[in-house]
Amino acid sequence: MIQKGKISTCGRANGVKPRLIAFEATRRCRFNCRHCRANAGIGGNDELTTSQCKKILASVAKFGKCVIILTGGEPMERRDIYKLIQYSRQLGLRPVMATCGYLIDEKSITKLKEAGVLALSFSLDGASAQTHDAFRGSKGAFDSVIKAAKLARRKRVRFQINTTISKINVDEVTGIAELAKSLGAYCFNPFILVPTGRGEQIADEILDPVEYEALLNELLRMKLESEIEVRVTCGPQFARVARQAKAEQRIGGVNGCMGGRGFGFISYRGDVQTCGFLDISAGNLIENGFDFGKIWLESKFLQEIRDLSGYRGNCRDCDFVGVCGGCRARAYATSGDYLAGDPVCNYRPGDKN
């Protein structure tokens, strides 16, 4: 039974179309990031062809005009990335791109802008070269992303800073946010670590529930006071914290987990997923003839994810599950059950709210 404050989304998607879809254009990347959910590397050429990518983009656009996030790996490793951005614009999609920054230079950013990219996100996991380079497994990674961000600002390409937060860098969050602002980012977007892919090797670096709660409250303070936007990903409890603090009128609506609802993910093999961190396929676009809408609306897996009444553990009895939803990917990574409770959350019904 759904308790007060919960919202049942049982069954079909109720006509809701995703507002954002991340498309994993490749798993090639020259970095060796400790947390990489894609386990990306320099080898392998099993990515989709240009034609297949275009058919996927067309299938998404047919279902709904949304923001399409070209991601990887490092999407700039694809020679046809400019064509894919241009084609996305022609379809009426709104293309943005997530990049590590090492292939961003005067020539490439000019081509990205001409192709029609609307914004970039740069990954920055430390306030210093020491932390960021260690996290990324590549010396010089910090300098390359800082250079790329400065170039984007000079070329007037909007960009945000993405940061994966764990015990390794949680003490640098404020410093990273300040650096993002000084670089000219329009948004600071922290991601809470989900130990999947190569991230399994640093599963012990997940924030414990007390650390996590403290971080969420600090991020809320930053969001209330920051001159740039602060957005939290893979931290759905942020929506609960904002509501408990009665801060929504000041900061606007805050979303919990959007996976399988307002957000979707398409893998480098054409699999539709709730997100990149929950590596379970709802259906493959190559195999079903490039019909994104059919998978999105009819997948039993996605219907199960949307049905809050089926959640277990601490999420089952939570009076905020309708605004939060818990992280299905983190539940799966730590317990093998994507309907289980989110292990980093320490809220219990009856806590002061």
Side-chain angles (χ1 to χ4, degrees):
M1 182 176 69
I2 300 296
Q3 298 179 352
K4 183 180 180 181
K6 297 185 181 181
I7 302 171
S8 177
T9 52
C10 184
R12 294 170 66 89
N14 298 326
V16 175
K17 296 183 178 182
R19 294 188 289 109
L20 302 99
I21 293 179
F23 180 20
E24 183 184 48
T26 183
R27 283 202 166 180
R28 283 184 288 148
C29 183
R30 301 177 195 181
F31 285 172
N32 188 36
C33 303
R34 299 180 65 187
H35 63 292
C36 183
R37 54 132 198 101
N39 201 18
I42 57 175
N45 292 301
D46 53 352
E47 61 194 25
L48 300 173
T49 65
T50 301
S51 176
Q52 288 173 320
C53 287
K54 285 186 173 182
K55 288 179 180 178
I56 285 176
L57 292 169
S59 73
V60 169
K62 182 179 179 180
F63 186 64
K65 303 299 189 286
C66 63
V67 174
I68 189 83
I69 307 166
L70 295 166
T71 186
E74 172 51 63
M76 288 294 292
E77 290 285 357
R78 288 194 68 117
R79 293 183 179 180
D80 61 359
I81 191 64
Y82 309 108
K83 292 180 181 179
L84 297 181
I85 292 170
Q86 186 177 43
Y87 188 63
S88 297
R89 288 296 297 269
Q90 292 172 357
L91 291 168
L93 297 171
R94 301 187 294 282
V96 299
M97 189 179 74
T99 174
C100 297
Y102 62 78
L103 288 175
I104 299 295
D105 56 23
E106 291 270 357
K107 181 179 179 180
S108 63
I109 202 162
T110 297
K111 291 179 69 174
L112 286 169
K113 191 173 181 179
E114 290 175 347
V117 75
L118 297 177
L120 301 174
S121 66
F122 295 114
S123 298
L124 185 60
D125 297 309
S128 66
Q130 181 179 3
T131 305
H132 180 75
D133 288 3
F135 212 77
R136 293 272 149 182
S138 301
K139 187 176 181 180
F142 182 82
D143 291 339
S144 68
V145 74
I146 295 297
K147 180 180 178 181
K150 289 180 177 179
L151 187 55
R153 183 178 188 177
R154 183 157 57 84
K155 292 293 185 178
R156 297 184 179 180
V157 176
R158 279 166 51 87
F159 69 92
Q160 68 181 48
I161 294 297
N162 292 349
T163 301
T164 298
I165 302 177
S166 67
K167 289 179 183 288
I168 298 169
N169 61 355
V170 67
D171 292 335
E172 296 186 27
V173 171
T174 301
I176 298 171
E178 291 175 350
L179 180 54
K181 176 188 171 184
S182 70
L183 288 170
Y186 74 88
C187 175
F188 171 54
N189 189 179
F191 285 62
I192 311 303
L193 176 66
V194 179
T196 186
R198 206 151 49 231
E200 291 180 0
Q201 300 172 19
I202 56 171
D204 58 345
E205 300 295 346
I206 296 177
L207 300 179
D208 65 46
V210 175
E211 292 172 317
Y212 179 53
E213 193 75 11
L215 172 65
L216 292 177
N217 281 277
E218 173 61 13
L219 291 174
L220 178 59
R221 181 198 65 77
M222 291 169 56
K223 187 172 181 69
L224 288 166
E225 299 176 3
S226 177
E227 295 178 15
I228 66 174
E229 183 179 354
V230 176
R231 189 185 306 143
V232 181
T233 299
C234 300
Q237 291 80 10
F238 186 66
R240 185 253 305 162
V241 168
R243 183 162 293 194
Q244 285 178 296
K246 299 180 175 19
E248 288 188 309
Q249 288 187 347
R250 288 177 285 169
I251 61 177
V254 179
N255 293 311
C257 179
M258 296 170 60
R261 300 176 182 87
F263 178 87
F265 180 91
I266 301 171
S267 79
Y268 75 115
R269 292 175 175 170
D271 292 308
V272 176
Q273 302 172 199
T274 61
C275 70
F277 300 99
L278 183 51
D279 193 14
I280 297 177
S281 177
N284 185 276
L285 289 167
I286 312 300
E287 296 172 358
N288 90 327
F290 302 97
D291 191 342
F292 177 83
K294 183 176 179 61
I295 294 174
W296 187 259
L297 294 174
E298 298 181 9
S299 162
K300 292 182 179 179
F301 166 62
L302 292 180
Q303 291 173 20
E304 192 175 22
I305 288 290
R306 294 168 188 145
D307 183 4
L308 303 179
S309 68
Y311 287 10
R312 295 185 268 272
N314 57 335
C315 290
R316 179 188 58 197
D317 301 318
C318 181
D319 43 341
F320 284 99
V321 70
V323 297
C324 167
C327 178
R328 300 300 97 218
R330 197 157 41 236
Y332 184 71
T334 56
S335 72
D337 180 4
Y338 52 78
L339 297 179
D342 190 335
V344 300
C345 181
N346 69 350
Y347 174 80
R348 296 296 181 271
D351 285 359
K352 186 177 179 180
N353 56 70

